[in-house]
């Protein structure tokens, strides 16, 4: 589908510059969730139909990140999917993480008996050495929109034998991402993938699958949905890390993910980054090359609120984010409010 046709699928009120907090669903997503809720209300929906959405969403996510569906696990949140990875490292192992990392990819390491060191994002690759057991980082930083130097980080990690764990929540959906470069890559779907909260994916490379204990396993992690009784019979694929899906979140994830694939991520990136660049230029700032930008504007909160612009403001810094339903008019309204 052409992007110019797709934009009619949203009914956003003008001024939503906050996809980095949550993405807005296109109409087919809202319709699919509404239908499922009504089926649920009437007791008319076989749960297997809702459940089938999980498989379709897994497949669509895999396509989006260049992975095999068998290498993708499902769950509800990034931290939940990363917890077994962190728990599988030996006590005292060295882990490096950017100091501004969103805590869903920091606390899972900190709660374990690990030696976690945080460094500024631009120093991450240099901080990896032969004693590093794992490096964990976001492909796009949540606070700043900074795109990680993935080549440098992966090269340093491979040279030292460190596990590479990426959080692609702020990247997949607008930035082309190849999950297979990482050992593990988690992604929450409620932002750039425009799904309801409660759907999250985790690529687990076949090379490291057996090194991670699926400590959250339940019936859904079993081969052929293992309902009752022993023995332990885990799926051989990454499904062994599955956590029973929040059905309606996955019902909603399918149309959103399929629409993204249909439009094409490169086109979405070009659209989003052009809007972000327009915003930066309007403020007299250099282009950042990201769909998320962060600028120092101590008075932004009141100015934007009075103009009906919704963006994130924290500690005097404004974080604005631009997705395929954002328009030039949204950007210009924000610039009018700020300048
Ligand atoms: C980079 C990043 N990862 C993950 C999340 C959400 O994490 P979780 O799914 O654990 O709630 C966010 C939310 O802002 C985020 O920005």
């Amino acid at each position: 589908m052409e992007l110019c046709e797709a934009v009619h699928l949203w009914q956003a009120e003008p001024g939503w510059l906050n996809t980095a907090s949550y993405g807005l669903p296109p109409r087919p997503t809202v319709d699919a969730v509404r239908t499922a809720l009504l089926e649920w209300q009437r007791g008319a929906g076989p749960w297997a139909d809702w459940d089938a959405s999980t498989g379709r969403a897994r497949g669509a996510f895999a396509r989006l990140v260049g992975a095999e569906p068998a290498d993708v696990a499902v769950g509800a949140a990034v931290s939940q999917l990363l917890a077994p990875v962190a728990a599988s490292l030996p006590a005292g192992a060295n882990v490096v993480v950017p100091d501004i990392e969103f805590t869903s990819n920091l606390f899972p390491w900190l709660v374990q008996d690990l030696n976690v060191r945080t460094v500024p994002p631009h120093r991450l690759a240099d901080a990896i050495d032969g004693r590093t057991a794992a490096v964990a980082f976001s492909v796009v930083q949540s606070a700043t929109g900074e795109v990680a130097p993935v080549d440098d980080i992966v090269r340093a990690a491979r040279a030292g034998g460190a596990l590479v764990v990426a959080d692609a929540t702020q990247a997949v959906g607008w930035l082309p991402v190849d999950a297979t470069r990482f050992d593990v890559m988690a992604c929450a779907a409620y932002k750039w993938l425009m799904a309801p909260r409660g759907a999250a994916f985790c690529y687990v490379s076949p090379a490291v699958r057996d090194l991670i204990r699926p400590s959250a396993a339940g019936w859904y992690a079993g081969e052929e949905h293992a309902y009752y009784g022993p023995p332990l019979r885990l799926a051989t694929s990454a499904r062994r890390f599955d956590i029973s899906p929040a059905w309606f979140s996955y019902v909603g994830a399918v149309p959103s993910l399929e629409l993204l694939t249909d439009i094409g991520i490169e086109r979405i990136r070009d659209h989003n980054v052009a809007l972000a660049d327009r915003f930066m230029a309007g403020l007299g700032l250099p282009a950042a090359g990201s769909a998320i930008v962060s600028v120092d504007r101590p008075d932004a909160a009141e100015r934007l609120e009075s103009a009906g612009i919704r963006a994130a403001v924290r500690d005097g810094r404004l974080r604005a984010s631009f997705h395929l339903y954002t328009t030039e008019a949204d950007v210009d309204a924000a610039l009018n409010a700020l300048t």
Side-chain angles (χ1 to χ4, degrees):
M1 183 184 285
E2 292 299 321
L3 205 144
C4 56
E5 284 171 62
V7 293
H8 300 295
L9 297 174
W10 279 269
Q11 288 172 347
E13 285 177 20
W16 182 252
L17 297 186
N18 205 4
T19 298
S21 289
Y22 70 86
L24 307 184
R27 198 177 321 114
T29 300
V30 176
D31 290 347
V33 174
R34 186 183 290 123
T35 301
L37 291 177
L38 293 176
E39 288 170 351
W40 176 39
Q41 187 177 40
R42 292 174 19 248
W47 67 264
D49 288 356
W50 303 326
D51 190 58
S53 297
T54 310
R56 271 180 70 185
R58 190 197 311 267
F61 179 81
R63 267 197 306 286
L64 217 48
V65 299
E68 291 297 323
D71 298 334
V72 174
V74 300
V78 165
S79 56
Q80 176 199 52
L81 287 162
L82 291 180
V85 183
S88 296
L89 291 186
N94 294 322
V95 180
V96 278
V97 188
D99 55 7
I100 59 165
E101 188 71 11
F102 189 77
T103 44
S104 287
N105 187 22
L106 175 63
F107 285 3
W109 310 97
L110 287 178
V111 293
Q112 301 295 334
D113 184 12
L114 297 169
N115 178 24
V116 179
R117 185 155 68 101
T118 57
V119 298
H122 67 274
R123 294 213 36 243
L124 191 65
D126 291 341
I128 301 166
D129 61 25
R131 287 162 298 147
T132 309
V135 54
F137 68 102
S138 284
V139 176
V140 174
Q141 276 297 333
S142 170
T144 60
E146 192 178 338
V147 180
V150 171
D151 290 346
D152 298 347
I153 297 168
V154 171
R155 198 179 311 114
R158 297 293 174 227
L163 192 74
V164 185
V165 180
D167 177 347
T169 301
Q170 298 287 5
V172 180
W174 75 267
L175 186 70
V177 175
D178 174 2
T180 64
R181 304 195 62 195
F182 310 114
D183 295 311
V184 175
M185 189 193 84
C187 180
Y190 69 101
K191 297 174 189 284
W192 302 90
L193 300 180
M194 309 174 302
R197 183 69 152 127
F201 302 93
C202 193
Y203 167 80
V204 185
S205 144
V208 302
R209 202 180 284 160
D210 290 337
L211 306 176
I212 303 166
R213 184 187 289 261
S215 47
W219 71 278
Y220 212 82
E223 204 64 84
E224 295 302 321
H225 295 176
Y227 289 136
Y228 299 110
L232 176 65
R233 45 201 187 280
L234 296 177
T236 50
S237 69
R239 273 201 35 235
R240 75 177 80 161
F241 301 106
D242 277 9
I243 294 153
S244 310
W247 285 325
F248 304 123
S249 299
Y250 279 92
V251 166
V254 172
S256 288
L257 284 162
E258 291 181 349
L259 180 64
L260 289 165
T261 324
D262 197 9
I263 298 171
I265 295 299
E266 279 84 3
R267 280 148 92 196
I268 296 171
R269 175 197 54 201
D270 293 349
H271 172 267
N272 295 3
V273 171
L275 290 174
D277 289 353
R278 181 185 181 94
F279 181 71
M280 294 298 269
L283 295 175
L285 295 167
S290 175
I292 305 173
V293 296
S294 164
V295 295
D296 191 13
R297 289 275 147 165
D299 58 350
E302 310 80 65
R303 282 171 172 263
L304 292 178
E305 197 184 332
S306 58
I309 311 291
R310 286 94 67 216
V313 182
R314 291 189 193 102
D315 296 333
R317 286 195 77 82
L318 162 66
R319 183 189 67 182
S321 40
F322 309 83
H323 205 9
L324 70 179
Y325 39 74
T326 315
T327 63
E328 289 188 350
D330 290 324
V331 173
D332 294 345
L335 288 172
N336 277 339
L338 289 170
T339 52

